[in-house]
């Protein structure tokens, strides 16, 4: 059974991210797949993906007033992809089960 998570996405090098539950993250053992939640939006935007071999680390981002809770996925380019979600611990637990390197929060 494939798990999916709804949230937002900020990609490295892009000024504007997608906030709100517009993105669906579907993690698998081989790659992370990000796509728009609604079919009519998929025609214009995405999909985006990260191969498993390029993922170096996954960790919870620090919540601030302007940034909601999220999961940072550090890839080869040393800039994090941030998946904004209300349930970051569930995403990290799923990634850990699939064999991704997950850093435990120290704070």
């Amino acid at each position: 059974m494939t798990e999916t998570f709804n949230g937002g996405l900020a990609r490295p090098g892009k000024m504007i991210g997608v906030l709100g539950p517009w993105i669906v993250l579907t993690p698998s053992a081989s790659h992370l797949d990000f796509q728009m939640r609604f079919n009519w939006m998929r025609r214009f935007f995405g999909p985006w993906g990260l191969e498993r071999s390029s993922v170096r680390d996954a960790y919870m981002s620090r919540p601030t007033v302007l940034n909601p809770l999220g999961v940072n996925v550090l890839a080869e380019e040393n800039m994090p992809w941030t998946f904004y979600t209300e349930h970051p611990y569930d995403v990290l637990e799923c990634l850990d089960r699939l064999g991704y390197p997950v850093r435990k929060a120290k704070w």
Side-chain angles (χ1 to χ4, degrees):
M1 184 172 151
T2 305
E3 291 189 64
T4 60
F5 302 97
N6 294 334
L9 179 67
R11 295 184 306 147
K14 303 295 180 189
M15 291 292 292
I16 300 174
V18 179
L19 295 177
W22 297 97
I23 303 290
V24 175
L25 166 63
T26 308
S28 69
S30 61
H31 66 282
L32 299 175
D33 183 36
F34 301 93
Q35 59 183 336
M36 296 303 286
R37 185 173 172 193
F38 302 105
N39 288 334
W40 64 272
M41 294 181 81
R42 287 182 196 158
R43 289 185 282 169
F44 303 108
F45 306 104
W48 307 276
L50 277 174
E51 293 296 322
R52 166 67 181 90
S53 59
S54 68
V55 175
R56 295 186 340 181
D57 200 8
Y59 55 95
M60 191 167 143
S61 63
R62 291 186 183 266
T64 63
V65 174
L66 299 177
N67 291 332
L69 290 175
V71 174
N72 288 341
V73 178
L74 192 62
E76 288 177 346
E77 63 266 2
N78 212 20
M79 292 181 69
W81 291 54
T82 304
F83 181 69
Y84 300 111
T85 178
E86 293 180 357
H87 310 287
Y89 295 109
D90 295 340
V91 175
L92 288 173
E93 180 182 330
C94 178
L95 293 178
D96 194 26
R97 274 191 315 238
L98 291 172
Y100 287 87
V102 174
R103 185 186 328 161
K104 306 297 183 210
K106 297 178 182 174
W107 40 273

